[in-house]
Amino acid sequence: MPLFSSRTAKRPRIVPALDDAVLARVLRQLSKRGGESRALDIALVSSVLEETGDDWDLRNHRVSVLAEATAGTGISSAWVDREPDSADALVFHSRVALARGLHERHLRDVRQVVEDCRRASELSPADPLPWVTLLGVARIERYAQADVNAIWREATGRDRWHREAYVQMLAYLSPEEGGSSAAVLDFIDVVRAHIPANAPCAPIELTAAVRQYQGLLAQGGVRAMTAGQLWDTGQLAAALEQAAALWPKPGFFQHAALLADLNMLAYALCAAGRAADAHPVFQALQNTVTPWPWNAEGDPVQVFEQYRAKAERGRQGGVGTP
């Protein structure tokens, strides 16, 4: 977890690995190698996934980041060709296909991705990742709700508070992807009462709120002008208050994507006109930027810096800065 410091000498930057030093080292090695030896590339990816064991949260983080970083390199295809009975290879191959599919808005070979997930689950029945990947497939292919619910039960039955499972389900239900605002609200209402405050998926309520807020801004006109009122609703205001008080505390959260959720919290607090309360969150981030949610308003690093400056001014003035 990040150490707290008021120093901001280094410029903020996007860090895909977040605070996973092992993953960051592997990403650097893969970048420097430039595909010189496929066998060594595969060994690097294989080893960093193998060492996660049954830490499903860390495993998902590393698979997701590596899939995005290597989607155009052919590493996943070469690995699964060499080791067709490796659960890690199959999980990674399917996640690379999903990463590419989400960018392209379609899957090049749906049947292959589904088969990779099915086979991976057979080889490693306890692993939720094949089922989480299938939730992503359901988003692109717009599976029927009953089918998605069945996949959801498989994923969360293996890891009840799996952060990525909740993120994928939220995206499937969202109006931007063919769902509806009502479906999102129903989902949040159902899960809110059961999720522990420090579970990896606990930020899902604020994640949904930020998505809704940005959707209102994107519509322009009156909806954009009144978007800030979203944060004044009782339940959401309480959730934001609790998050501001608890999330930045060292040790409160332990999940691998904590810094991504702190980025989202800092953005939400500033959007709600509570920039002063975002100051300790920016301190905890120590210049680590994630593309979302900042990229909805321009270059993510620049927007991050602008909001952080607002938080600093708000702290000095003792009040939030809209």
Side-chain angles (χ1 to χ4, degrees), residues 239-248 265 269 274 277 280-281:
L240 193 58
E241 181 75 26
Q242 182 183 54
L246 296 178
W247 292 12
L265 174 59
L269 286 167
R274 299 180 54 177
D277 295 330
V281 184

Side-chain angles (χ1 to χ4, degrees), residues 106-137:
H106 78 278
L107 290 165
R108 299 179 184 181
D109 191 339
V110 179
R111 286 179 294 181
Q112 184 61 60
V113 178
V114 172
E115 176 60 22
D116 284 348
C117 291
R118 183 194 67 79
R119 182 69 178 130
S121 188
E122 289 178 348
L123 292 166
S124 182
D127 189 353
L129 264 65
W131 299 99
V132 173
T133 300
L134 286 175
L135 285 174
V137 173

Side-chain angles (χ1 to χ4, degrees), residues 10 19 33 52 58 60 64 131 143 159 167 198 202 234 250 262 276 284:
K10 293 182 179 179
D19 59 352
R33 293 188 43 70
T52 63
L58 180 60
N60 180 78
S64 299
W131 299 99
Y143 284 8
D159 186 0
V167 170
N198 64 344
L262 288 180

